Amino acid sequence: MNITIYILFIFLLLVRLFHGTNPANADSIHFNGLQPSVGGRLGPGIYFCEKAIADKVARHRGPGSYVIEVEIDVGNMKILPKGEADRNGNWKKEKYDTCQAVHPSWQGVTDHSFKEWCVTNFNRVKIIRYHQENAMTQFLTPPRTPIMARGKNTIHIQHSMANVVVNTNIEHGQMALVVN
């Protein structure tokens, strides 16, 4: 009697990426998670890029910089050829979980192209920490992940037990704020 043994390898590809936004969105993101946009170069979804670009995107979106560092399980990823876009998000109909493309230079943000990733399922995204620079944020509940602060910041946390305001003026290095 022959016994055949099948071994199934499951590869989990985790990628560390960043999402830049206006600091005014901090509390909503903390409380509700990152919400998909209704459109974009790759269709509706949550967009990510490398940290340097996310910093520029955040500054473009409002005063200061607020960047969310995430770990993404990319799952089945479609990689579009350079310069190609999929504004209808057809890659989702093709059973892909994530789409990667090269974004052309973005006037007022960056003078060169950069890689971008789009994810539609927030369950594939784990928030690792927040990066805040020269910004003011307000939280109605304490953040569950660290806030890395640089520059002049005001972090206001309102909670039933305490009302905390942290002001920073950090020229070199950064401060981690962790609320337990």
Side-chain angles (χ1 to χ4, degrees), residues 21-148:
T21 189
N22 186 312
N25 298 330
D27 189 51
S28 175
I29 291 169
H30 159 69
F31 194 74
N32 301 308
L34 289 161
Q35 299 299 306
S37 65
V38 294
R41 289 188 70 257
L42 304 175
I46 309 167
Y47 284 78
F48 301 95
C49 55
E50 294 171 347
K51 176 117 177 27
I53 300 299
D55 283 332
K56 291 177 181 183
V57 170
R59 281 191 226 96
H60 177 73
R61 300 238 185 260
S65 173
Y66 196 76
V67 174
I68 298 99
E69 182 177 349
V70 300
E71 201 170 70
I72 299 174
D73 169 9
V74 297
N76 188 19
M77 182 168 63
K78 181 168 188 170
I79 300 174
L80 295 179
K82 186 174 182 173
E84 194 173 305
D86 181 0
R87 293 196 179 279
N88 294 324
N90 292 322
W91 55 273
K92 291 172 241 150
K93 295 174 194 158
E94 298 168 6
K95 304 292 186 216
Y96 288 100
D97 303 306
T98 307
C99 186
Q100 179 195 30
V102 175
H103 191 294
S105 61
W106 186 353
Q107 187 176 1
V109 178
T110 178
D111 59 356
H112 57 83
S113 61
F114 58 92
K115 286 184 183 178
E116 68 178 339
W117 288 257
C118 183
V119 178
T120 56
N121 183 348
F122 182 71
N123 292 326
R124 294 191 163 279
V125 179
K126 178 183 176 187
I127 294 176
I128 303 298
R129 69 181 57 91
Y130 303 102
H131 298 266
Q132 179 172 322
E133 185 169 352
N134 298 321
M136 185 174 85
T137 51
Q138 183 165 338
F139 296 92
L140 298 178
T141 57
R144 294 179 296 270
T145 56
I147 298 173
M148 308 304 288

